[in-house]
Amino acid sequence: MALLVACEGIERHYLRGRLSLRGVDCADVDEGAEAIEYCADRPVSLVVVDADHLGPEAMRLLRQLRMPHACRAAPQVALMGRLSGGPRWRAAWAKAQVLAKPLDPRSLDAWIVRSLGPALSAPPPRVLFEATAAR
């Protein structure tokens, strides 16, 4: 499960599309408090926070999401936006990946594979040849 926080417009649709190609379900929330509640109630593997829309609250949210939980592992988090050196450094300090806008498909796919592992993030194998009926 992936959670998109304050993602809007084309970025939200693009993220949902890329994650669905990997078999990852997505949910959307608009605010940091909603994200904390969502992660407390459900297991979430990936969280993408749009810093351009959430503003200064994004860094506090990243630190809260990365705090250890008694029942499950903290999700992998990414901060998305047009970020300069200072916010990039703070995101790294919060153990978050930085996804620069506009989103690069290779960087996004690499982050998904690193976060979930190749076994969980690979598309399902295609069966090219069906078993033929015996004559």
Side-chain angles (χ1 to χ4, degrees):
M1 174 60 85
L3 180 63
L4 308 179
V5 182
C7 295
E8 296 180 353
I10 196 163
E11 284 91 9
R12 180 179 62 195
H13 296 296
Y14 183 70
L15 282 167
R16 283 181 154 278
R18 295 305 284 193
L19 289 165
S20 70
L21 287 174
R22 299 270 179 189
V24 178
D25 293 328
C26 292
D28 297 299
V29 295
D30 294 326
E31 297 178 8
E34 291 178 78
I36 297 296
E37 288 178 24
Y38 191 91
C39 290
D41 293 340
R42 297 167 192 85
V44 176
S45 301
L46 304 173
V47 178
V48 179
V49 178
D50 193 334
D52 292 344
H53 294 286
L54 202 57
E57 183 185 355
M59 290 301 170
R60 287 189 302 274
L61 177 61
L62 290 180
R63 285 192 296 276
Q64 287 178 325
L65 289 172
R66 294 294 301 153
M67 292 173 84
H69 190 277
C71 299
R72 57 185 158 269
Q76 297 294 320
V77 294
L79 185 67
M80 179 177 67
R82 292 175 179 85
L83 304 170
S84 61
R88 283 180 177 270
W89 181 83
R90 287 193 297 273
W93 182 73
K95 297 180 182 172
Q97 176 71 34
V98 174
L99 300 173
K101 286 184 182 180
L103 292 171
D104 175 46
R106 290 182 185 155
S107 298
L108 183 59
D109 286 343
W111 174 68
I112 295 168
V113 170
R114 273 194 317 271
S115 299
L116 295 178
L120 293 176
S121 63
R126 291 186 182 178
V127 177
L128 298 178
F129 302 100
E130 297 287 331
T132 57
R135 294 182 190 192

